[in-house]
Amino acid sequence: MGIIKVENIRVFAHHGCLTEETKIGSDYRVDLKVNADFQASAISDLLSDTVDYVFLNRIVREEMVKPTHLLETVAKRIVTRILNEEKKVQKVTVKISKLNPPIGGDVEMVTIKMTEKRKKHL
């Protein structure tokens, strides 16, 4: 088993419960970690035998541009798509941070973190 991390993906998006947040938009940081078996790719040296981090980055960007009220909702979409579209992935962790959130006070970021494992079929 191995880990791929795609860290500090910077995205501008329109998430939030306040009308101003969805109109004006905010800067976000997304950190992604996936667990997968790299034994085949380590031997074959073929991209098709591993999890392509370009694919992971694309899913994050595609889901982040769809406005939502809650970061939990967009995190769930990212996790679900990765598990549905890349069978080599066994576990996904996504962290989404809203930078400089409008919550009153000097707050650098707020972050949600979601982890899901592939369900085993009996």
Side-chain angles (χ1 to χ4, degrees), residues 6-11 28-32 60 64 78 94-97:
V6 185
E7 298 178 300
N8 200 18
I9 303 168
R10 292 174 297 281
V11 181
Y28 293 84
R29 171 187 171 156
V30 181
D31 296 294
L32 188 64
V60 167
M64 285 296 292
I78 291 168
V94 63
K95 291 189 332 186
I96 303 175
S97 302

Side-chain angles (χ1 to χ4, degrees), residues 30 32 56 59-64 73-83 92 94 96:
V30 181
L32 188 64
L56 298 172
I59 285 182
V60 167
R61 293 188 173 282
E62 288 174 359
E63 294 305 326
M64 285 296 292
T73 304
V74 70
K76 178 66 173 172
R77 289 196 316 247
I78 291 168
V79 167
T80 299
R81 276 198 61 195
I82 291 170
L83 289 172
V92 180
V94 63
I96 303 175

Side-chain angles (χ1 to χ4, degrees), residues 5-20:
K5 292 182 179 181
V6 185
E7 298 178 300
N8 200 18
I9 303 168
R10 292 174 297 281
V11 181
F12 186 83
H14 297 82
H15 304 297
C17 294
L18 303 175
T19 304
E20 300 82 37

